[in-house]
Amino acid sequence: MNKELPKTYDPNELEDRLYSFWTQKGYFHAEPDEKKKPFSIVIPPPNVTGQLHMGHALNNTLQDIIIRTKRMQGYSVCWLPGTDHAGIATQIKVEQNLREEKGLTRHDIGREEFLKLAWEWKEKYGGRIIEQLKKLGSSCDWEREAFTMSPTLSAAVKKTFVELYNKELIYQGFRIINWCPECNTALSDAEVEHKEIEGLFWYINYPVKDQEGRYVTIATTRPETMLGDTAVAVNPEDERYKDIIGKTLILPFIEREIPVVADEYVDKEFGTGCVKITPGHDPNDFYVGERHNLETMLILDGNGKINENGGKFFGMDRFEARKQIISELKELGLLVKIEKHTHNVAHCYRCGTMLEPMASKQWFVKMPPLAKPAIDVVKNGEIRFIPDRFSKIYLNWMENIHDWCISRQLWWGHRIPAYYCSDCGEMTVSEDDITDCPKCGSGNVVQDPDVLDTWFSSALWPFSTLGWPEKTADLEYYYPTSVLVTAYDIITFWVSKMIFMGIENTEQIPFPDVFIHGLVRDAQGRKMSKSLGNGIDPLDVIEKYGADALRFALATGNAPGNDMRFSYEKMDAARNFNNKIWNAARFVRMNTESLNTLGLPDMSALKLEDKWILSLYNRLVGEVTNNIENYELGIARDKLYDFIWNIFCDWYIELLKPRLSEGDLDAQKCITYVLSNTLKLLHPFMPFITEEIWQSLPHEGESIMISEYPTVDQSLDFPDEEIEMSRIITAIRAVRNRRAEMNVAPGRKTKLTVVTQFTDTFNDDTGIFFKRLASASEIEVKSEYSDNDAIQIVTDSATFFIPLADMIDFEAERMRLNKERDQILTDIERTEKKLSNEGFISKAPANVIESEKNKLSAAKDKLTGIETALEKLKQ
C-alpha cells in the first residue's frame, strides 16, 4: 500500500526514521562482488576531538552525492569512514581536562596513566562526530569504521616505519626543525602557517677583539638569539670586510669570542652585509655552521625560555629576554638603530603560537626518492586534480620538499618503534616489541619516547583501512580507491603524503582523481572562526531546516576548488524547494490514487505536453549524469532545481490539470513516471524527502537508494515536440506579461487571435493551454489579421491580438487616470510655488533648485501622458 503524504513536510519527523530504516536494511554496506564494478572513497578522517562544522558538512555532502549516485548505478560501493587520533589536538584536550579536574599535569601521573585517560576520553567523545555525520544523511559503511590507532592500522604504521628505515628512507638526524613552545613538540614544514608580521630590525654592534673602538654591525629580527651566536659571516667578495675575515669578535653579555667567517650565503646588499650566525636557531645558519665547523648552541628550552647557555638571562621567556637585551644594549651603547620591518613568521597551525627554529635530534623521512614518483604520476596524468590548477600547488610543494620531520614529543600517538639498549647503546628498529637487546642480550631496553606525526598514519589511510599490509579481499577489490574528495587547504598536509606513501607501499596510486572543493565562508565571504563569532553549527541548521535543505544549500553554486558562502537566504530557498516538491508530490498522488503500477503509457497515447516533458526529462538525465561524472555537482544541482521548479511544477502540472481532473490514465502514468525518476536523480542531493515521496508513489523495490539510477532512453527524445511546446510557453508568458503590465485582473477573460505560420503548434488542441494559463475566453488562429483597436503581442513564432475592450474596464481606467491627474496637478502647483519663491531661490543650494526643476519637468511630462491616455479613452 502506497503511503499517503501528510499535508506539511516535516523533516524532523522523517529523517531519523528513514536513516534507521536504511541502516537496519544494511544498504550502506558492501562486499567485494565480481559481478559489479567497484567504487570506493575513503572519508578524510575528522579528528577524534572534532565536532561537525560546515567544512565537514560540505565535504561529506559532496562525497555522499557521488556515493549515492554510484550505488544506484549498480557499483559495489564502499564509502569507508573513520576518525584520526589527532595527536597534538587530543593530547591538549586530555591535558586540559586533567588540569581542570585534578590540578595535575601528565608528568604528575606518568605516561601509562595518561594514555589510559586519553583512551577513555576517546571512547567517551570520539564517536560524537560520527553520530553527527549520520544526522547529515551520510551513507558511509559504518561496519568498516576505522581509527588510526586501531590494532590493524597501528600494524600498518609499524611496518611502514620499519621498511622505510631498512631502506634508509627514515633516519635520525640533528637538524633544524620547527618547534612549538606551546604544544612542546617538533612540527613538520606542512604544519607551519606563515603570517605577515610588522616587526623590527635591530642593528647591534659587536666589538672587534683587540681593536678598541672598532665594531661589526649586524641586523636581526630576533635579538635574543644573539646569545647563541657562534660566528658572524660576511661575503668573501665584500671589500668592506675583507680585512676582518678571520678576526675575532666579542659577543656582548656572554663575552664569548666568535670568529668572522667568509661565506657566499651572505647577501652584500642586505642589511649591513654582516650576518650573525646562530646554528642552533636558524636553518640557513645551521648549514653555514656545518660548512665552517661551528658549534651548534641552543639557548632556548622546549618551553621557549632561555636556558643555561643564556648567561644572566637564564629562565626568562624569549620575548621577555628580548626586551631586556635591547634595554641593556642601549645602556652599553651597542644598539645602533631600530627599523620597522615586515616579514613572514612561522606559527603553529594548531595553536597559533610563534614557532622557534631549533636544532634537535629528530626522526626524518628522506623525501627526494619518495617525491620523484609522486611527482611523475601527476605530471603524466595518472592522478589528476579537479580543477587542474591545484596540481600546481601540489607539484610546487613536492618539487621543493625538505626531509619530513616525523617525530613528535608527545605521548598520544603511534610510538616510534625504535629501542635503545642502555648497556651497549645498540638501537633496534622493529615491528615487534623488543625486551632484550639483540646485540648484548641485556634486558635493559627502552623504547624511543617520541610518537609519530599524526599525518604519518593518515598517509596510509586509503590502503591501511582496507587491511594492508595483509592482502585482503577488500584491498584487492576496492584499492586503488576511486576518488579523493577534500578541501584545498590540506593538499600539502595530507594529499601529497597519501600519494607518495601509496606508491611506496602498494606500488599503485591511491586514487586517480583528487576532487578539490573550497572552504565554507560566511555571507560576507569571511572565514568562519571563533574569534569572529561567525561560526554556524550544522546541527542547529539541520534542527531548523532539515538535513536535505542544508545539503541542497551547500551544493548551491558549488564549483570544484571554489570557496562558497553560506547564508540563511540559501537555507530559506532550499526549504522552499523542499516544500515545492512536497506539495507537487501530494498533488500528483491525490490525482493518481487509482494508479498502482509504475510505467509509461503506450507511446501512441502520449500528447504534446507528455512528449515535451519526457524529452526534457531525458536530456536532464544525460546532463546531470555527466555533470556528476565530472564533479560539477553545483551545476547538476541547478539543473535539477530548474527542471523540478520551473518545468515540472510550474508548467507540466498546470498543463496536465484538465486531463488529471478527467481521470486520464495516460496522464497519470506519465506524470508519475517523470516524478518518480526525477526523484531518483535528486536523491543523492536530498536523500530523505526523495525516499519519503518515492515510497508514496507506485514503485518497485524497498528503497529509492537501491533503485536503478535513470539512464538516457533514445525513445524519449522528442525534439519537434520540444520546439512546439517552447513556442506555446513563450507565447503564454508573453500574454501574461502584457496583461500584468496593463494591470489586467487575473480573472478577466480576453479573446485571443493568433496570426502564425505554425498552425501545427497553435490549434484547437493547444488552445486549452491558453484558456487555462493565459486567461483566454476564446482562440482564433488566422494566417492574416489586423485590428487597430487591439493590443499586439509579438513572439518569434506568432503575433497575438487582444481587443483593447477585453483588456480594459474603461470606466475604472478613466477613474484611475483622473485620480492620478489630480495628484500630479497638486504636485505641479506646489513645486511651481516653491520655485517662484525668491526666498527659496536665494537660500537653497544650486543642486536642490535643479532637483526641483527636474521634478517639475517630469511631472508635466507625466501629466501630458495621462491626458493623452484619457483622450484615447474618449475615442
Side-chain angles (χ1 to χ4, degrees):
M1 187 71 180
N2 299 323
K3 182 180 176 181
E4 184 178 337
L5 296 174
K7 185 175 182 180
T8 305
Y9 174 62
D10 179 8
N12 292 327
E13 184 278 324
L14 61 88
E15 289 183 351
D16 287 345
R17 168 170 53 80
L18 289 176
Y19 200 85
S20 294
F21 165 66
W22 293 329
T23 53
Q24 286 167 11
K25 288 287 187 178
Y27 295 148
F28 300 164
H29 183 64
E31 291 289 343
D33 184 347
E34 295 306 322
K35 296 176 184 177
K36 295 181 177 182
K37 290 181 180 178
F39 188 89
S40 56
I41 297 179
V42 288
I43 191 173
N47 287 352
V48 74
T49 60
Q51 292 199 63
L52 194 71
H53 59 60
M54 277 299 174
H56 294 128
L58 171 63
N59 179 259
N60 285 275
T61 293
L62 299 180
Q63 289 180 85
D64 201 32
I65 290 170
I66 297 168
I67 283 292
R68 286 179 181 269
T69 302
K70 292 297 180 180
R71 188 183 287 118
M72 293 173 73
Q73 287 175 337
Y75 288 81
S76 175
V77 169
C78 175
W79 186 16
L80 208 151
T83 50
D84 190 287
H85 66 278
I88 295 175
T90 303
Q91 180 153 321
I92 288 172
K93 287 273 189 186
V94 177
E95 286 194 75
Q96 185 180 344
N97 283 355
L98 182 62
R99 193 163 50 247
E100 290 173 358
E101 292 178 8
K102 298 182 179 178
L104 299 173
T105 70
R106 62 183 165 117
H107 300 288
D108 293 328
I109 63 172
R111 185 170 194 141
E112 192 174 332
E113 283 302 311
F114 179 80
L115 289 176
K116 280 184 185 177
L117 291 178
W119 277 104
E120 286 172 9
W121 192 93
K122 183 264 175 190
E123 293 305 318
K124 186 174 182 181
Y125 297 107
R128 178 173 51 188
I129 194 164
I130 295 298
E131 295 306 311
Q132 292 169 340
L133 286 174
K134 292 177 181 178
K135 291 289 288 183
L136 188 66
S138 303
S139 61
C140 299
D141 188 346
W142 300 113
E143 294 177 41
R144 298 177 185 273
E145 184 182 335
F147 177 55
T148 50
M149 282 178 61
S150 69
T152 304
L153 273 64
S154 294
V157 168
K158 281 185 180 180
K159 185 172 184 65
T160 300
F161 186 97
V162 172
E163 289 194 350
L164 290 177
Y165 177 80
N166 290 337
K167 293 177 183 178
E168 298 184 351
L169 292 174
I170 282 183
Y171 65 92
Q172 235 181 346
F174 191 68
R175 295 279 185 275
I176 290 284
I177 48 90
N178 307 292
W179 184 267
C180 178
E182 180 65 30
C183 298
N184 228 255
T185 185
L187 299 175
S188 71
D189 291 343
E191 296 168 304
V192 174
E193 285 186 357
H194 287 93
K195 298 178 184 178
E196 197 172 81
I197 298 292
E198 293 290 333
L200 297 171
F201 245 146
W202 286 274
Y203 288 77
I204 302 167
N205 274 343
Y206 286 9
V208 179
K209 183 182 178 184
D210 298 330
Q211 292 189 28
E212 192 171 341
R214 188 174 184 190
Y215 301 93
V216 168
T217 306
I218 59 93
T220 180
T221 58
R222 300 158 66 213
E224 67 279 6
T225 61
M226 67 182 288
L227 304 174
D229 287 359
T230 53
V232 166
V234 298
N235 191 294
E237 302 302 318
D238 195 332
E239 296 294 336
R240 294 173 295 176
Y241 303 118
K242 278 192 172 182
D243 69 313
I244 64 165
I245 294 172
K247 294 272 196 315
T248 301
L249 308 179
I250 304 298
L251 186 65
F253 306 123
I254 305 297
E255 299 300 313
R256 184 165 59 243
E257 294 185 359
I258 59 175
V260 177
V261 298
D263 198 285
E264 290 180 351
Y265 153 70
V266 179
D267 181 354
K268 294 187 290 184
E269 307 303 321
F270 186 74
T272 64
C274 297
V275 176
K276 60 187 286 298
I277 302 299
T278 321
H281 293 281
D282 183 278
N284 294 312
D285 293 2
F286 182 83
Y287 293 115
V288 173
E290 282 192 332
R291 285 195 290 274
H292 296 277
N293 199 27
L294 301 173
E295 181 184 359
T296 299
M297 182 177 291
L298 294 176
I299 55 98
L300 292 172
D301 66 14
N303 298 308
K305 292 185 176 181
I306 305 296
N307 66 16
E308 63 278 2
N309 292 326
K312 62 180 177 179
F313 303 103
F314 173 60
M316 296 176 72
D317 174 77
R318 53 184 169 156
F319 299 118
E320 182 188 345
R322 178 181 296 180
K323 290 178 185 176
Q324 188 63 29
I325 286 169
I326 293 303
S327 174
E328 294 195 21
L329 285 171
K330 281 181 185 176
E331 291 177 13
L332 294 170
L334 295 176
L335 185 65
V336 179
K337 62 177 179 176
I338 303 172
E339 288 179 350
K340 288 185 178 178
H341 178 62
T342 302
H343 58 139
N344 282 319
V345 177
H347 289 73
C348 176
Y349 83 108
R350 176 63 58 189
C351 68
T353 300
M354 192 179 292
L355 299 177
E356 282 294 336
M358 286 177 67
S360 177
K361 190 177 183 182
Q362 301 286 344
W363 288 91
F364 295 86
V365 173
K366 189 184 292 182
M367 284 309 304
L370 296 172
K372 187 183 183 308
I375 291 167
D376 291 343
V377 293
V378 172
K379 285 188 171 180
N380 67 24
E382 286 182 66
I383 293 178
R384 63 180 185 137
F385 282 77
I386 299 103
D388 180 62
R389 69 179 185 270
F390 288 100
S391 66
K392 295 179 178 64
I393 293 173
Y394 169 85
L395 290 171
N396 182 59
W397 175 261
M398 293 301 288
E399 287 169 348
N400 296 283
I401 199 163
H402 299 129
D403 284 357
W404 173 20
C405 176
I406 55 171
S407 45
R408 299 289 179 271
Q409 288 63 53
L410 304 170
W411 288 353
W412 173 249
H414 296 98
R415 196 164 175 180
I416 290 173
Y419 302 84
Y420 307 97
C421 177
S422 301
D423 292 333
C424 73
E426 177 74 2
M427 181 181 76
T428 306
V429 172
S430 170
E431 292 180 58
D432 301 318
D433 291 345
I434 299 296
T435 54
D436 296 316
C437 176
K439 184 177 181 181
C440 72
S442 168
N444 196 8
V445 173
V446 292
Q447 187 175 355
D448 194 302
D450 290 352
V451 300
L452 287 164
D453 179 4
T454 295
W455 299 102
F456 192 95
S457 52
S458 303
L460 316 182
W461 188 251
F463 48 92
S464 63
T465 51
L466 293 170
W468 186 92
E470 300 300 321
K471 291 184 178 179
T472 63
D474 282 350
L475 186 69
E476 195 72 27
Y477 184 75
Y478 289 117
Y479 186 84
T481 61
S482 306
V483 59
L484 175 73
V485 183
T486 189
Y488 58 71
D489 58 344
I490 54 173
I491 290 174
T492 56
F493 277 120
W494 189 44
V495 179
S496 61
K497 295 178 175 65
M498 282 190 289
I499 293 174
F500 70 70
M501 283 294 203
I503 295 169
E504 172 64 23
N505 280 336
T506 70
E507 298 182 343
Q508 290 179 283
I509 57 172
F511 30 71
D513 289 351
V514 182
F515 170 27
I516 299 291
H517 62 78
L519 308 180
V520 183
R521 299 183 179 275
D522 69 9
Q524 285 76 49
R526 300 173 301 174
K527 192 172 181 178
M528 292 186 182
S529 68
K530 289 180 181 176
S531 59
L532 288 175
N534 62 346
I536 296 168
D537 187 341
L539 295 178
D540 292 342
V541 177
I542 290 171
E543 181 68 28
K544 183 177 179 181
Y545 293 92
D548 279 339
L550 175 58
R551 291 166 64 111
F552 205 65
L554 289 171
T556 303
N558 187 276
N562 291 351
D563 290 349
M564 67 153 294
R565 296 187 180 192
F566 176 87
S567 69
Y568 283 103
E569 287 77 14
K570 285 184 180 179
M571 289 306 310
D572 291 335
R575 179 167 58 187
N576 292 342
F577 183 60
N578 264 336
N579 291 333
K580 185 85 169 179
I581 300 167
W582 189 261
N583 292 332
R586 289 189 74 249
F587 172 82
V588 170
R589 199 66 202 105
M590 285 188 292
N591 285 275
T592 59
E593 286 179 335
S594 60
L595 190 69
N596 289 311
T597 57
L598 182 66
L600 279 170
D602 188 270
M603 288 294 175
S604 61
L606 295 175
K607 295 189 180 294
L608 171 64
E609 62 271 26
D610 300 329
K611 292 180 178 180
W612 165 75
I613 194 71
L614 286 168
S615 196
L616 291 181
Y617 153 76
N618 198 41
R619 183 181 306 126
L620 179 74
V621 171
E623 290 180 354
V624 166
T625 303
N626 186 60
N627 291 143
I628 293 175
E629 200 66 34
N630 291 310
Y631 308 110
E632 298 165 341
L633 306 188
I635 296 175
R637 174 262 177 219
D638 292 348
K639 287 177 179 174
L640 285 164
Y641 178 93
D642 183 62
F643 179 84
I644 292 167
W645 189 298
N646 298 321
I647 296 173
F648 183 81
C649 293
D650 284 359
W651 284 103
Y652 187 57
I653 286 178
E654 295 302 321
L655 293 167
L656 228 61
K657 277 181 178 178
R659 292 169 61 197
L660 291 173
S661 66
E662 295 166 2
D664 185 327
L665 186 59
D666 292 329
Q668 292 179 25
K669 285 183 176 180
C670 193
I671 196 169
T672 302
Y673 176 88
V674 173
L675 175 58
S676 179
N677 283 286
T678 303
L679 289 171
K680 291 182 182 181
L681 294 176
L682 183 63
H683 174 75
F685 295 82
M686 305 178 88
F688 295 106
I689 192 171
T690 51
E691 178 75 271
E692 190 75 354
I693 294 172
W694 186 84
Q695 293 285 358
S696 77
L697 299 171
H699 60 268
E700 295 175 359
E702 293 180 332
S703 169
I704 191 173
M705 72 167 288
I706 56 167
S707 65
E708 188 176 338
Y709 195 78
T711 55
V712 173
D713 181 349
Q714 298 302 327
S715 70
L716 299 183
D717 277 343
F718 301 105
D720 293 341
E721 286 79 357
E722 277 191 55
I723 293 170
E724 283 189 48
M725 204 67 222
S726 176
R727 291 175 187 148
I728 291 168
I729 289 172
T730 299
I732 291 172
R733 281 184 175 138
V735 173
R736 282 174 167 177
N737 289 343
R738 181 56 66 88
R739 288 172 59 94
E741 288 168 5
M742 299 183 71
N743 297 314
V744 180
R748 188 177 182 87
K749 300 289 185 179
T750 59
K751 180 183 177 182
L752 193 63
T753 303
V754 187
V755 178
T756 182
Q757 59 178 318
F758 300 109
T759 52
D760 288 345
T761 301
F762 301 98
N763 51 43
D764 291 343
D765 289 339
T766 60
I768 190 172
F769 301 145
F770 289 90
K771 289 179 179 179
R772 272 195 47 77
L773 304 177
S775 301
S777 55
E778 59 178 298
I779 296 168
E780 192 174 7
V781 181
K782 296 188 174 184
S783 57
E784 292 182 9
Y785 182 75
S786 180
D787 184 353
N788 292 331
D789 292 328
I791 300 296
Q792 285 189 46
I793 304 163
V794 181
T795 71
D796 57 359
S797 59
T799 301
F800 302 84
F801 294 86
I802 303 176
L804 192 61
D806 283 6
M807 294 279 274
I808 298 173
D809 182 333
F810 287 104
E811 188 55 38
E813 183 67 5
R814 189 179 291 109
M815 288 175 64
R816 185 186 71 79
L817 289 170
N818 279 323
K819 185 177 180 182
E820 195 169 345
R821 183 185 63 177
D822 292 344
Q823 180 60 51
I824 286 175
L825 286 170
T826 301
D827 293 342
I828 289 172
E829 183 182 0
R830 183 169 58 246
T831 307
E832 285 179 334
K833 278 184 180 179
K834 187 182 284 187
L835 289 171
S836 63
N837 185 324
E838 290 183 9
F840 172 76
I841 295 297
S842 62
K843 293 177 182 177
N847 65 319
V848 173
I849 296 170
E850 186 64 26
S851 174
E852 290 296 322
K853 286 180 179 178
N854 291 338
K855 193 187 298 180
L856 179 62
S857 176
K860 287 181 176 179
D861 288 345
K862 191 170 184 180
L863 179 62
T864 301
I866 290 172
E867 288 176 339
T868 301
L870 283 167
E871 187 61 32
K872 282 186 178 179
L873 283 176
K874 284 180 184 178
Q875 296 171 5

